[in-house]
Amino acid sequence: MKASDLGLIQSIGSPSLSPDGGHAVVSVERVDLAADRYYADLWLVPLDGGPAPSRLTSGELDREPCWSPDGRWLAFTRSVAGSGPQLYLLPAAGGDPRRLTSHPLGVSSPRWAPDSATLAYVARVPEAGRYVAPIAQTAASEPPRRITELRYREDGVGYTIGRRKQIFGVDLADGAVSQYTAGDADHEFAAWSPDGTRLAFVAARHADRDTVPARDVFVMSTSDGHVTPVTQTSLRASHPVFSARGDQVYFLGTEIGDRFNETYLNPTSLWVAELTDTGALPAERLTDAETMDLVPTAAGPALAVTDQGVLAMVARRGAVDLVRVEAGGDVVDVISGPTQVLGYDAVGGLVVAAVASDTEAGELSCVTPTGVRRLTAFGATLSAAAPVAPMREVAGTAADGHPVHGWILRPLGAGPFPVILAVHGGPHRYFGWRLLDQAQACVDAGYVVVMGNPRGSAGYGAEHGRAVRHAFGDVDVQDLMALVDIAVDDFGGDPDRVGVIGASYGGFMAAWLAATSDRFASAIVDRATVDWCDSDIDDDVDYTHLYIGADPETQRIKSPLTFAEDVSIPVLVMVAEQDLRCPPSQGRRFFSALKRAGQHTELLSFPGASHMFHDSGSPRHRELRLDAIIDWFDGTMKSRGQDMSNPG
């Protein structure tokens, strides 16, 4: 698989099941490299082994399908001609979709009321005179923004003040739109009560949200607007859902910890709060905080209440499993193995899930009494045209005796092969059983690729995740070096030709290793923070305080920029010019320091790109980035060993 094969990958979203359990609908997304854009269509998938899946829509970007409880309608979001997504309605019996909303900044997260008469959804409400054309086309004439909070921007969005997320409802009978929430806070994750009289949602309404980054669950009466708080500003909550009787609310929640929080060091758990006539009782945690870390979905429900228990997704050693948490506290696997569940839906006892693996971007599967049955083959085009390399699971031991876990991808042939150590972001993200275009392109070019989950990664228990508190560039380095040893000793890796690449936290690590280790021959520092003394990371956590500590001298000696003059290997620095997570100024300063020191370095700057552009940015930028990675490592590691023009 090469960078030019990005257009062969078909990615799927979270499915929606018909109320009778006969069909699922899923959004299937693809890249058009020539047009430099994305397309997404809705597909109808029978569950009874009948006709093959068929395309339902042919819009530009059709996503977030949502079947009405009475089975008559299919709601979804559609983006047309670069505009924000709007809500559309498609008759299940056939016909043309009709548009329901016209919000200037688009909508998301449609949720049906139980009577199928109303759709709730989320939309940003722009401040008058901002964000909406033609006013936005003359931004130079806008008044200045008066900013009073620390959290005022978001990567991929820009300024969030003056365009807060609010929850709306649209009546199908007359098209009337009602705004359910208001105020200077983002409101999201709407969920209906079984009787359709209440909405649960999540918002940060507390006055000290700058330094207490909790998000609370609230329940609102849709008849009079009365709001009842369910949680007490001690959790970062998301994805509420009512119990079958409507007397409880289940939700995901993470303890926030100290000032400026340690949320990212704590696992996400399943919680439940009982609702009474006078309010809500204190929430109870239902999953073990030390061993289970639950995973929210980007779209679709993260939790589903069934007769047997609550369905949820959990991160486990690079896998994402679907589990059922039963009333007695037992956790039962529903879908598990060397895969990642991307999203799911459940109706009665039926479960359908989108499932990815190391060689497949995602397929729909149905859970049956005898096992898990595959329903689709959207990845057939890719597998036929560009066979992908499987991931080989490895385990080892770090220098301090800590167990190490990861994966290695290897080209065909005898080797020795140059090695690329890839470091994930986060650090509380994780590599795992998922098709990764970067890894596949590097294997195709003749490299052994090493991907591991060092201490700090999610999915290995709370102690593993907390190990990097005030310890960046320490225990995580030990784990990564142990994985490089495995690649060299057991997979034909060349010890003299080892490169490192990483983005975000991985970019910090690539810069740190380039400056402090003699193990590497080349490095790519991608969208990194390199100076903790002057970081401007826009997020809900103070990374410097959390991972480095408050002492200025410690921050200085943990900054790769401090040791730029010690770098002796070629370094390619990549920045995204609209990156609000790891600002491009950090990468530019590292490049400048290397250049002034006379080092071999280049700067690759992607115009208009945000922090996550490698996954969801311009397809052309994604292709150029992959090609640049191969070109850089080819150009900087060839001279250290054998010619790589015909690897393997």
Side-chain angles (χ1 to χ4, degrees):
M1 179 178 170
K2 297 177 173 58
S4 57
D5 294 319
L6 281 172
L8 300 177
I9 299 175
Q10 299 202 70
S11 304
I12 64 175
S14 192
S16 179
L17 268 171
S18 62
D20 63 4
H23 295 82
V25 172
V26 66
S27 176
V28 181
E29 187 166 317
R30 65 193 185 280
V31 166
D32 187 329
L33 289 173
D36 194 23
R37 60 174 302 173
Y38 295 88
Y39 290 94
D41 304 316
L42 301 185
W43 285 71
L44 182 69
V45 181
L47 271 61
D48 59 1
S54 57
R55 194 192 314 266
L56 267 183
T57 67
S58 295
E60 295 192 11
L61 281 172
D62 293 346
R63 296 170 170 150
E64 299 187 272
C66 186
W67 221 304
S68 66
D70 63 9
R72 297 178 56 202
W73 307 100
L74 188 70
F76 63 96
T77 60
R78 169 175 286 181
S79 299
V80 179
S83 63
Q86 301 297 336
L87 195 57
Y88 281 72
L89 193 66
L90 180 69
D96 295 326
R98 64 183 172 98
R99 179 169 165 171
L100 296 178
T101 62
S102 298
H103 288 270
L105 299 181
V107 308
S108 65
S109 308
R111 299 290 185 266
W112 283 99
D115 62 1
S116 300
T118 305
L119 269 164
Y121 59 91
V122 174
R124 289 190 180 275
V125 178
E127 175 187 340
R130 297 196 197 274
Y131 306 118
V132 181
I135 297 170
Q137 296 172 359
T138 58
S141 64
E142 290 186 23
R145 293 179 174 87
R146 186 176 296 276
I147 297 169
T148 59
E149 298 183 6
L150 288 174
R151 315 299 176 193
Y152 59 90
R153 297 186 301 174
E154 181 180 328
D155 185 68
V157 177
Y159 289 97
T160 54
I161 57 171
R163 49 172 165 177
R164 295 297 191 185
K165 292 180 180 178
Q166 305 295 347
I167 298 172
F168 293 80
V170 57
D171 189 299
L172 264 63
D174 58 11
V177 172
S178 302
Q179 183 172 337
Y180 294 129
T181 63
D184 190 21
D186 285 333
H187 299 74
E188 51 193 334
F189 302 115
W192 290 95
S193 63
D195 62 5
T197 64
R198 293 167 293 165
L199 275 172
F201 62 88
V202 168
R205 290 185 164 188
H206 49 290
D208 54 353
R209 61 190 177 204
D210 262 5
T211 55
V212 181
R215 292 188 305 205
D216 283 312
V217 178
F218 299 88
V219 171
M220 168 184 284
S221 168
T222 56
S223 61
D224 59 12
H226 177 72
V227 174
T228 300
V230 175
T231 56
Q232 305 302 316
T233 320
S234 61
L235 299 171
R236 186 174 179 84
S238 68
H239 298 86
V241 60
F242 283 91
S243 63
R245 294 188 301 180
D247 57 347
Q248 295 174 313
V249 174
Y250 296 94
F251 60 93
L252 296 181
T254 308
E255 291 179 306
I256 60 172
D258 204 352
R259 183 178 184 268
F260 286 110
N261 94 84
E262 298 194 354
T263 304
Y264 281 44
L265 295 177
N266 296 326
T268 297
S269 301
L270 174 64
W271 299 73
V272 64
E274 184 175 348
L275 304 178
T276 70
D277 292 340
T278 58
L281 299 181
E284 175 188 359
R285 190 199 305 266
L286 299 180
T287 53
D288 181 58
E290 295 302 311
T291 60
M292 292 190 68
D293 194 0
L294 301 190
V295 179
T297 54
L303 302 175
V305 176
T306 72
D307 292 341
Q308 293 77 36
V310 180
L311 296 177
M313 297 184 297
V314 59
R316 290 173 172 164
R317 295 176 60 83
V320 177
D321 296 336
L322 183 63
V323 300
R324 183 175 63 249
V325 183
E326 299 185 336
D330 292 337
V331 177
V332 178
D333 287 357
V334 178
I335 298 177
S336 61
T339 57
Q340 290 192 2
V341 175
L342 309 176
Y344 71 96
D345 196 13
V347 172
L350 185 64
V351 176
V352 170
V355 183
S357 72
D358 57 328
T359 58
E360 295 179 323
E363 303 289 353
L364 277 193
S365 293
C366 178
V367 180
T368 70
T370 59
V372 179
R373 177 167 56 88
R374 174 77 63 86
L375 299 173
T376 63
F378 294 119
T381 302
L382 173 65
S383 60
V388 297
M391 294 167 55
R392 307 184 187 195
E393 191 172 12
V394 296
T397 305
D400 64 357
H402 192 274
V404 177
H405 180 239
W407 295 264
I408 292 178
L409 291 81
R410 183 186 189 279
L412 298 175
F417 302 105
V419 177
I420 296 175
L421 169 66
V423 188
H424 64 64
H428 302 296
R429 295 184 181 273
Y430 49 89
F431 282 132
W433 301 106
R434 188 82 178 265
L435 176 67
L436 297 176
D437 50 43
Q438 177 182 302
Q440 294 295 333
C442 291
V443 171
D444 178 80
Y447 293 88
V448 169
V449 177
V450 185
M451 302 187 303
N453 290 332
R455 274 167 277 189
S457 306
Y460 295 79
E463 183 179 352
H464 184 90
R466 295 184 186 123
V468 293
R469 185 181 188 274
H470 295 177
F472 260 29
D474 185 0
V475 295
D476 43 6
V477 169
Q478 295 184 46
D479 295 352
L480 293 171
M481 292 303 97
L483 290 170
V484 171
D485 289 340
I486 294 173
V488 170
D489 295 341
D490 301 334
F491 288 87
D494 186 340
D496 295 323
R497 293 186 294 162
V498 180
V500 59
I501 181 174
S504 197
Y505 157 76
F508 156 80
M509 185 59 68
W512 182 253
L513 293 174
T516 62
S517 172
D518 60 2
R519 190 72 183 272
F520 298 92
S522 182
I524 298 179
V525 175
D526 190 3
R527 289 161 285 161
T529 292
V530 297
D531 182 10
W532 296 109
C533 302
D534 185 29
S535 64
D536 183 26
I537 300 173
D538 282 300
D539 209 325
D540 290 331
V541 59
D542 184 339
Y543 281 92
T544 303
H545 171 81
L546 185 55
Y547 297 128
I548 305 301
D551 177 60
E553 178 59 17
T554 301
Q555 294 173 6
R556 188 188 71 83
I557 64 175
K558 280 294 186 178
S559 297
L561 185 65
T562 301
F563 306 101
E565 291 187 358
D566 298 331
V567 174
S568 60
I569 62 174
V571 176
L572 173 64
V573 180
M574 292 186 183
V575 298
E577 294 182 6
Q578 298 301 316
D579 188 344
L580 297 181
R581 183 72 56 83
C582 295
S585 58
Q586 291 267 327
R588 292 168 185 154
R589 291 174 62 200
F590 195 55
F591 164 75
S592 296
L594 293 172
K595 198 72 174 175
R596 291 191 180 99
Q599 309 295 355
H600 179 183
T601 185
E602 293 180 12
L603 177 67
L604 195 61
S605 185
F606 289 86
S610 61
H611 188 69
M612 297 300 291
F613 86 92
H614 67 290
D615 275 339
S616 55
S618 157
R620 181 60 176 155
H621 277 171
R622 292 175 59 188
E623 181 184 23
L624 290 171
R625 175 181 174 273
L626 292 180
D627 282 336
I629 291 169
I630 304 303
D631 289 345
W632 179 260
F633 283 129
D634 280 358
T636 56
M637 291 206 287
K638 272 184 182 179
S639 60
R640 298 176 63 98
Q642 67 188 41
D643 180 20
M644 292 171 52
S645 60
N646 186 24

